[in-house]
Amino acid sequence: MLGTVLENMNGRRLYIFISVLLLCQVLCFIIGGLVAPAPSSVMSMLGTKCIDKNYKNTQWYWSRGKQPCKSIGDFDSPIVQEQKISANDIVFSFQIPLPKDGYSLDYSRWQQNLIAMLHLDIFYDNEYEVAPDAVMTLDARLGYSNRGDPEGKWTEYASSVEQRHLDCSIEQKKTGYMYNCSHVPLFELGSLHHDFYLLNVRLPVGSVDSSQKNDMNRNLGHISDMWVSFIHQNGGFTKVWVSFKTIFFPIIVAIMVWFWRRISQLSRPPALLEYMLMVLGAALTLLNCPLEYLTLAFDCPWMLLVSDVIQGIFYASLMSFWLIFVGNHFVDAKKSKSDGIWFPGMVPVLVGLLLFSPNWVHLGGLLRNPFYSQWARSTSAGAILECIFAGVYFCYISYLMWKAFTDIGLKYQSLSNQDRSKNISALKRYKSMMVVTLICVVLTVIYFVLRKVSELQWFWEIELKYTSSFFTGVYGTWNIYTFALLCLYAPSN
């Protein structure tokens, strides 16, 4: 059954077909590099230290526009001593986005999401050292405003009292030296539905209610400033990404309908590989569905969760298909099935899918509270395990491909000279499809690891540079590869 069209299509036509598909794949890389900007942008902002001796959790504090808050430049200002200002009287204000060249900018719904990472500037003081594995309690509020709203009108989006672990180190414990503290997650929005946002953060000392301990935030050292890095997806990249989805979605749906009509015309039941091709096509159709259009009209905080679940389903379908696809290329198909040649490779696939579930729980918690966050350590451990299992899977599938090449070569060598001349074109065609599969495997594993590293680069304190061309190129590769398989492995008339 395998490759009915491959068997009937002569070598020249097949190579022309594959060459056209490879050209389309290269175009996906080129278009992503030339048209789309970087996938995300980062803006680091220093918090304005607003002061209020009569703080109320119903009042907003902003630094730009009419009636900005009363603020201080640093904690050594004379006004701090004169008015006996304490930490409970300080509110760090972040008003985003920042204006540019005197013009007020607003967020676009094409920018999709917003992630905030908090960082503290802490100076060493022998009287107020940072405790090992200190716990920081944050009293945070997030508000929004839209164009056309009265200036100074902010509507509460979310508020919460959260705890974060603060991991700080210092080379020399001398007065005036600064601690090297890691970034901590602050909040995450699944959609950017509003034009302006205002973030107010307090580090209350003592307790905010009777349930809190009185030693809250007393072991954080001498805090000088608070920074927040805001990360959002670039609108230009989103437009290119959604354009690709809009193009590929109907194409894959049409080729799946055509493929299943060919299958339904057979007198025999569909084979396992044919079922897996339909599963792969269905998972890719979900991935191609341009749900991002909904965010242009509605507030969709669930978009991150839905996208992550769809990606997990697609990864599991694609990796399972490769195991069965390569296993069916063994010369002795009955032996490969009885020995369960592809079953060991399903272990990292299933484990990897299970490792996605904590992230789904985390994203589900964000629907109720955007300030909800898992600890950075457990999140990093999960990402590391996912990358390890991706590497294990890559090694196993590479072994299967090498085994398939070896078995096909041995079978070819055992043929007579006359049979070799008849089967040489079929041998080259099968090897060509295996090479294309290997390229797709390599690109997918790199894409998966790169996405995981980019999500946690703030926790690992690394600078990761990448271009949108790789993401659009790999996405195009998945669609072109699936399209080619559905075409080439459909039953022939």
Side-chain angles (χ1 to χ4, degrees):
M1 185 278 301
L2 278 179
T4 305
V5 177
L6 281 173
E7 296 288 353
N8 296 331
M9 185 184 293
N10 62 51
R12 183 178 180 182
R13 291 181 180 179
L14 176 64
Y15 291 143
I16 292 176
F17 179 75
I18 294 178
S19 299
V20 172
L21 294 179
L22 291 177
L23 178 61
C24 295
Q25 177 182 347
V26 172
L27 287 176
C28 292
F29 281 94
I30 295 176
I31 292 174
L34 296 179
V35 180
S40 61
S41 294
V42 181
M43 178 190 65
S44 295
M45 185 177 181
L46 177 65
T48 300
K49 305 178 189 68
C50 298
I51 57 174
D52 189 351
K53 297 284 291 185
N54 300 311
Y55 170 78
K56 298 179 180 179
N57 59 4
T58 58
Q59 185 174 346
W60 292 102
Y61 301 85
W62 61 88
S63 57
R64 300 191 308 273
K66 293 182 179 180
Q67 299 178 344
C69 68
K70 186 179 180 181
S71 61
I72 57 176
D74 55 69
F75 293 114
D76 295 328
S77 175
I79 193 175
V80 175
Q81 298 295 331
E82 293 172 1
Q83 300 185 11
K84 297 181 180 180
I85 297 174
S86 66
N88 292 325
D89 306 324
I90 300 295
V91 180
F92 293 91
S93 176
F94 303 86
Q95 191 173 345
I96 53 175
L98 288 171
K100 184 177 181 181
D101 299 330
Y103 292 96
S104 177
L105 302 179
D106 61 346
Y107 280 114
S108 168
R109 294 178 183 179
W110 285 104
Q111 292 171 323
Q112 293 295 298
N113 53 64
L114 183 66
I115 302 173
M117 304 294 295
L118 184 144
H119 176 77
L120 295 178
D121 285 346
I122 304 177
F123 287 96
Y124 176 77
D125 190 327
N126 54 6
E127 295 182 1
Y128 304 99
E129 293 191 34
V130 180
D133 199 22
V135 177
M136 173 175 56
T137 302
L138 302 166
D139 182 8
R141 297 179 69 207
L142 180 65
Y144 67 86
S145 179
N146 295 309
R147 288 195 178 275
D149 292 346
E151 190 169 359
K153 178 186 176 182
W154 296 95
T155 304
E156 183 173 284
Y157 189 92
S159 62
S160 181
V161 177
E162 298 288 333
Q163 290 185 337
R164 300 288 190 268
H165 280 284
L166 192 61
D167 187 10
C168 296
S169 62
I170 188 171
E171 295 181 359
Q172 296 184 15
K173 293 185 176 182
K174 294 183 179 180
T175 302
Y177 280 58
M178 186 177 292
Y179 283 89
N180 180 24
C181 297
S182 60
H183 289 78
V184 295
L186 185 56
F187 71 82
E188 187 169 359
L189 300 181
S191 66
L192 269 176
H193 189 70
H194 303 286
D195 297 327
F196 310 101
Y197 290 88
L198 176 64
L199 174 66
N200 288 168
V201 181
R202 294 175 65 237
L203 295 173
V205 175
S207 63
V208 294
D209 54 53
S210 58
S211 63
Q212 298 288 338
K213 296 181 179 179
N214 291 327
D215 61 349
M216 181 175 59
N217 289 334
R218 295 186 183 275
N219 56 357
L220 302 182
H222 182 70
I223 298 176
S224 173
D225 287 302
M226 178 183 293
W227 295 80
V228 174
S229 297
F230 297 96
I231 307 109
H232 62 80
Q233 187 166 301
N234 279 326
F237 174 80
T238 306
K239 292 178 181 179
V240 174
W241 188 263
V242 175
S243 298
F244 272 69
K245 285 189 169 187
T246 306
I247 295 172
F248 285 125
F249 179 74
I251 294 176
I252 298 300
V253 170
I255 196 65
M256 284 181 61
V257 172
W258 173 81
F259 178 82
W260 188 249
R261 287 185 61 185
R262 288 292 186 90
I263 296 295
S264 61
Q265 294 173 0
L266 298 176
S267 58
R268 60 170 177 79
L272 177 61
L273 184 65
E274 292 168 340
Y275 275 124
M276 287 306 301
L277 274 171
M278 287 299 298
V279 171
L280 176 60
L284 184 59
T285 300
L286 282 176
L287 188 67
N288 287 338
C289 186
L291 297 174
E292 289 80 1
Y293 285 126
L294 295 176
T295 63
L296 303 180
F298 308 100
D299 187 11
C300 305
W302 41 263
M303 186 60 68
L304 284 176
L305 175 60
V306 172
S307 299
D308 205 71
V309 171
I310 291 176
Q311 285 186 5
I313 295 174
F314 173 73
Y315 284 137
S317 302
L318 183 63
M319 297 170 75
S320 301
F321 169 77
W322 282 333
L323 292 171
I324 296 173
F325 176 71
V326 176
N328 274 275
H329 278 79
F330 280 80
V331 175
D332 192 349
K334 293 182 179 180
K335 182 179 184 300
S336 67
K337 291 179 182 179
S338 62
D339 291 346
I341 194 69
W342 51 267
F343 181 77
M346 292 298 296
V347 175
V349 174
L350 296 176
V351 174
L353 191 61
L354 290 175
L355 290 175
F356 269 88
S357 56
N359 193 44
W360 296 341
V361 173
H362 165 68
L363 294 176
L366 293 176
L367 299 180
R368 179 181 55 85
N369 177 19
F371 293 100
Y372 171 80
S373 179
Q374 297 174 330
W375 300 129
R377 294 174 181 176
S378 61
T379 306
S380 300
I384 292 173
L385 286 176
E386 289 176 4
C387 293
I388 291 175
F389 278 103
V392 171
Y393 174 86
F394 174 74
C395 293
Y396 185 73
I397 198 69
S398 299
Y399 163 75
L400 290 184
M401 289 185 178
W402 171 79
K403 186 68 175 175
F405 270 106
T406 303
D407 287 1
I408 292 174
L410 292 175
K411 178 64 177 179
Y412 178 74
Q413 294 295 330
S414 63
L415 298 175
S416 62
N417 292 334
Q418 185 178 2
D419 290 334
R420 287 184 186 181
S421 61
K422 293 180 180 179
N423 290 276
I424 184 63
S425 59
L427 177 65
K428 290 181 178 180
R429 290 194 292 267
Y430 278 117
K431 286 190 174 182
S432 298
M433 289 304 301
M434 294 296 289
V435 170
V436 172
T437 300
L438 180 60
I439 293 174
C440 191
V441 171
V442 172
L443 290 176
T444 302
V445 172
I446 295 175
Y447 177 91
F448 178 82
V449 174
L450 190 62
R451 286 296 294 265
K452 288 299 174 182
V453 174
S454 65
E455 291 174 1
L456 299 173
Q457 59 180 316
W458 294 97
F459 299 141
W460 295 344
E461 301 293 335
I462 61 174
E463 183 179 359
L464 182 64
K465 295 182 179 180
Y466 51 88
T467 62
S468 56
S469 62
F470 182 76
F471 290 98
T472 56
V474 175
Y475 176 70
T477 300
W478 292 335
N479 282 273
I480 294 169
Y481 176 73
T482 304
F483 178 85
L485 290 172
L486 290 170
C487 287
L488 298 176
Y489 285 89
S492 174
N493 290 332

